[in-house]
Amino acid sequence: VLQDLPEVVPEITQDFFKDRTVYRAHLPGGGIFQCSITGLSFKVESAVTITYRYATWTSHLSEADQEMWVPAGPLFHIEVQPGVVRAVHLPHFICLAGGVNPSQCSVAHFKSGKMTLERPTRVIAFSAILENPSFSLLGVLWRRLRSTLNLLPMHSLVLIFQQLSAANTTLHLYLIPDDNSVKQAIEKQEMNWNSKLIPKPPPFNPLFFGCVYQVTSTSSVVITPEAHLPFCYKSPKEQQLFVEIYIRNMAEEIGLLLTDTRNDTVVWRASLRSGDISLPACVSKTLSGAAFMKKHKTELCSRMRQLSTILLHLRDAKVINSDEEEEVQGQDTSHRRSRVLLELTEKKGLEAQEQFYQILRMKDPYLIADLE
């Protein structure tokens, strides 16, 4: 959902008591800037610090409102001093390419438990722009027209995770709207299940809420509870729908497909190769990158060496940028540098943690072997 705008990397803190992540963007001066993680963008007149976090629609949208409106992007809680922000770009996942009517789009505000709606100034690909905004809980809604809901095209993602502690090869396949708050919630849950993300491209056609998509394979696999996935929006706090794919004998390559059950059109196709999969023989010994970092964080902070080399590899792999590298190097002790790097990598998600783990295995195999 990122546009071609100057990016700002937010400071990230974990509020463990309330189980939420808080972002703080320090904007250097007047201009328009986009958060590198959430896709949220701000046009400001001067330097300012903006604090924001994800919220959940189901906690605020009444049942009556859910009959009329469908969430079309993440819900944000935004705090900033009044009068500095000239416009906010709120991410949405509606595909506008098929002649969708943007007049059905509204920005929802929630204050004191009440919702008010405002027409956005403009609706563009991937965001709704609201000028001279007042801040509270803000997010994009789309009017739910019963006759056309299934005709409303959505940008979507397919997420595949391998459960490393399961027998043989066990995968979880999710089909979700392109909403980063939902994606983060799934990654967190799968990390707790000791799973590894297998990156694959998104569907090559827009998908439609209310429609059912069938998961099939070119090889013999077991799909449970059934091979059909309804495409819908579920709050990040809810359990997301997925199918489990069990592969008894992993071949060199297995094809996975998603088909629209209305017309048997293939909307997504991916090849699962043996190199994508962790070998079952290693499962009992090898954790995913995220699980390894979580289990051995204390030891890594005190025993990790060659930090400059590791930082260089992480920057080359685009896991971190030069500002983040300077932030790590600027710490006053090696223990502090290691801790800041680990926390920074954790916040970037499962794929970043897996890359960090593989780089560490390459640069310090004896440490990895000793910890494992």
Side-chain angles (χ1 to χ4, degrees):
V1 300
L2 300 182
Q3 301 172 57
D4 187 19
L5 297 172
E7 280 191 5
V8 61
V9 179
E11 172 189 328
I12 307 173
T13 56
Q14 299 290 336
D15 185 340
F16 293 106
F17 181 70
K18 294 185 177 179
D19 188 27
R20 64 192 186 192
T21 302
V22 179
Y23 304 94
R24 187 170 289 106
H26 304 285
L27 307 187
I32 182 167
F33 302 91
Q34 181 170 58
C35 172
S36 62
I37 297 174
T38 65
L40 192 61
S41 302
F42 300 94
K43 182 179 181 181
V44 297
E45 288 195 329
S46 58
V48 67
T49 296
I50 305 176
T51 302
Y52 46 97
R53 58 178 170 82
Y54 289 120
T56 57
W57 285 107
T58 49
S59 301
H60 300 90
L61 205 59
S62 70
E63 289 188 12
D65 289 330
Q66 291 179 46
E67 291 294 317
M68 296 180 60
W69 299 92
V70 60
L75 181 63
F76 292 95
H77 183 280
I78 303 171
E79 295 178 326
V80 62
Q81 67 187 70
V84 177
V85 177
R86 281 287 160 241
V88 60
H89 294 223
L90 296 163
H92 71 74
F93 47 73
I94 305 298
C95 178
L96 304 181
V100 170
N101 183 1
S103 68
Q104 305 301 323
C105 174
S106 289
V107 174
H109 298 248
F110 294 93
K111 289 184 179 178
S112 304
K114 294 184 178 180
M115 182 177 79
T116 57
L117 296 172
E118 187 172 351
R119 287 288 300 277
T121 311
R122 279 187 297 144
V123 180
I124 60 175
F126 307 116
S127 65
I129 302 171
L130 190 63
E131 294 182 350
N132 301 314
S134 61
F135 288 108
S136 57
L137 285 165
L138 288 179
V140 179
L141 291 175
W142 218 273
R143 183 173 291 278
R144 184 188 290 271
L145 300 178
R146 295 186 187 278
S147 60
T148 61
L149 178 60
N150 288 352
L151 301 178
L152 196 59
M154 315 276 183
H155 297 290
S156 59
L157 298 172
V158 175
L159 303 179
I160 302 176
F161 295 85
Q162 180 192 2
Q163 276 207 295
L164 297 179
S165 55
N168 291 31
T169 301
T170 302
L171 308 175
H172 292 168
L173 186 148
Y174 297 81
L175 180 61
I176 61 170
D178 191 357
D179 181 325
N180 199 49
S181 63
V182 176
K183 181 173 181 283
Q184 283 186 8
I186 293 173
E187 288 182 337
K188 182 178 179 182
Q189 176 66 78
E190 288 287 343
M191 185 178 73
N192 291 335
W193 291 343
N194 188 25
S195 299
K196 164 192 168 184
L197 176 66
I198 302 175
K200 293 298 174 185
F204 39 77
N205 285 338
L207 304 189
F208 301 87
F209 278 175
C211 292
V212 176
Y213 296 88
Q214 183 176 17
V215 184
T216 56
S217 173
T218 57
S219 301
S220 178
V221 303
V222 179
I223 300 176
T224 55
E226 58 179 341
H228 294 83
L229 267 177
F231 183 51
C232 60
Y233 181 88
K234 292 179 76 70
S235 165
K237 294 293 185 182
E238 297 179 89
Q239 174 61 57
Q240 303 294 319
L241 301 176
F242 65 89
V243 297
E244 182 180 272
I245 302 172
Y246 175 69
I247 306 171
R248 186 179 298 276
N249 296 305
M250 181 66 197
E252 277 299 309
E253 185 170 313
I254 290 177
L256 295 176
L257 301 95
L258 274 178
T259 304
D260 189 331
T261 57
R262 297 173 304 169
N263 50 25
D264 290 332
T265 302
V266 175
V267 297
W268 175 82
R269 181 185 292 108
S271 293
L272 197 65
R273 300 175 181 88
S274 56
D276 295 329
I277 301 297
S278 294
L279 297 176
C282 304
V283 164
S284 60
K285 298 179 182 178
T286 305
L287 298 171
S288 70
F292 179 87
M293 288 175 65
K294 183 177 181 180
K295 182 176 180 179
H296 299 295
K297 187 172 183 178
T298 302
E299 293 92 335
L300 288 171
C301 284
S302 59
R303 297 177 60 185
M304 194 160 52
R305 299 292 180 263
Q306 303 186 60
L307 199 60
S308 296
T309 306
I310 291 170
L311 285 168
L312 180 62
H313 279 80
L314 288 170
R315 196 179 68 186
D316 288 344
K318 297 187 173 13
V319 174
I320 63 172
N321 58 36
S322 56
D323 291 339
E324 291 165 333
E325 182 181 15
E326 288 181 13
E327 179 188 353
V328 174
Q329 294 281 35
Q331 305 303 313
D332 53 1
T333 66
S334 61
H335 188 279
R336 179 67 183 161
R337 284 191 287 273
S338 297
R339 176 168 290 277
V340 169
L341 176 58
L342 289 170
E343 290 174 350
L344 186 65
T345 310
E346 283 176 4
K347 291 165 187 173
K348 288 178 178 284
L350 293 177
E351 190 174 350
Q353 292 172 76
E354 187 64 33
Q355 288 181 284
F356 175 88
Y357 172 66
Q358 296 301 333
I359 290 168
L360 195 58
R361 285 190 69 175
M362 177 178 64
K363 302 311 297 181
D364 200 344
Y366 299 108
L367 173 61
I368 296 294
D370 186 49
L371 292 177
E372 289 185 337

